[in-house]
Amino acid sequence: MRADHRPYWVMRLCKAYNQIIIDRYLRPKFDRIGKHLEVMQPRNVCVSGHNIHAGNFLHLVAAADKRINLSTWSDARLQGVIDIGHYCQISPGVNISAAEHITIGNNCMFAADCYISDCDWHGLYNRIRPFRCTKPITIGNNVWVGHGAKIGKGITVGENSVVAAGSVVTKNIPPYEIHGGAPAKLLRRRFES
């Protein structure tokens, strides 16, 4: 890791500037957010839509070339909801989009470039009619989603499970299991002994 050789007063000034961005621009975009929000590069976090809730100690690690996107969509029938639990970490490039409901438990970690969506966003034949096929996503407590993994609509990931890097999750994952591949399959169970 490269050392930061900036003078101490410059580092304090940058930290104060980031805190202003978090308090004035980022925090109000959440409908509800807990205490101790930590954000690296808050200008690269995009929160759009209503009904986005997060618990305490949410850590967002964004980058200039890999923004974090949390978005909900609505139409006449549906209003998307994103519920994020306590002590979660979201890494650069993560995209979470809800047209119905995405629930994320406590102590979850999302590695870079994960994609989670509960909707197809358009039909197979009629591409101008969005939100036709939505099913809620539930991610249990203490789940780790690896780099570049994709979780589709209607999926439930059980608590203490791991989704391996690059996986495409098309079926439910029971608790205490590690799944990987495209489509994701059982690799092994956690804590078998």
Side-chain angles (χ1 to χ4, degrees):
M1 186 172 203
R2 186 175 288 176
D4 190 352
H5 297 291
R6 294 179 297 176
Y8 182 68
W9 67 271
V10 172
M11 289 190 288
R12 287 188 60 187
L13 186 65
C14 289
K15 185 175 180 181
Y17 175 70
N18 280 343
Q19 195 60 47
I20 290 171
I21 292 173
I22 291 167
D23 292 338
R24 293 220 175 160
Y25 298 105
L26 187 59
R27 199 176 265 280
K29 291 183 180 181
F30 288 87
D31 285 332
R32 188 188 78 242
I33 186 144
K35 57 186 176 181
H36 302 294
L37 171 66
E38 289 288 330
V39 184
M40 290 181 65
Q41 297 193 14
R43 290 168 292 170
N44 296 311
V45 176
C46 179
V47 179
S48 58
H50 299 289
N51 294 325
I52 301 176
H53 313 114
N56 299 328
F57 297 95
L58 176 64
H59 287 231
L60 303 173
V61 182
D65 61 334
K66 293 189 177 186
R67 297 171 55 105
I68 293 174
N69 291 302
L70 304 173
S71 59
T72 59
W73 297 79
S74 63
D75 71 349
R77 298 178 303 114
L78 295 171
Q79 169 59 57
V81 177
I82 297 175
D83 285 318
I84 302 171
H86 304 298
Y87 302 99
C88 290
Q89 177 182 345
I90 299 176
S91 299
V94 171
N95 189 343
I96 301 174
S97 300
E100 189 170 335
H101 200 148
I102 296 176
T103 304
I104 298 169
N106 299 328
N107 302 310
C108 291
M109 295 187 301
F110 297 91
D113 298 323
C114 292
Y115 179 77
I116 301 167
S117 176
D118 66 354
C119 184
D120 289 340
W121 302 111
H122 59 78
L124 184 60
Y125 299 109
N126 188 351
R127 295 183 184 148
I128 61 171
R129 288 177 52 188
F131 314 121
R132 302 300 288 175
C133 301
T134 63
K135 292 182 183 173
I137 294 173
T138 302
I139 298 175
N141 295 329
N142 197 32
V143 171
W144 180 19
V145 180
H147 181 88
K150 294 169 178 41
I151 299 176
K153 65 179 184 177
I155 300 298
T156 298
V157 180
E159 63 181 16
N160 297 302
S161 294
V162 176
V163 177
S167 299
V168 178
V169 181
T170 58
K171 294 183 180 174
N172 292 342
I173 297 176
Y176 295 96
E177 290 188 357
I178 301 172
H179 284 239
K185 296 178 181 171
L186 175 66
L187 300 177
R188 68 182 176 95
R189 302 188 193 290
R190 293 183 71 190
F191 313 117
E192 288 182 341
S193 60

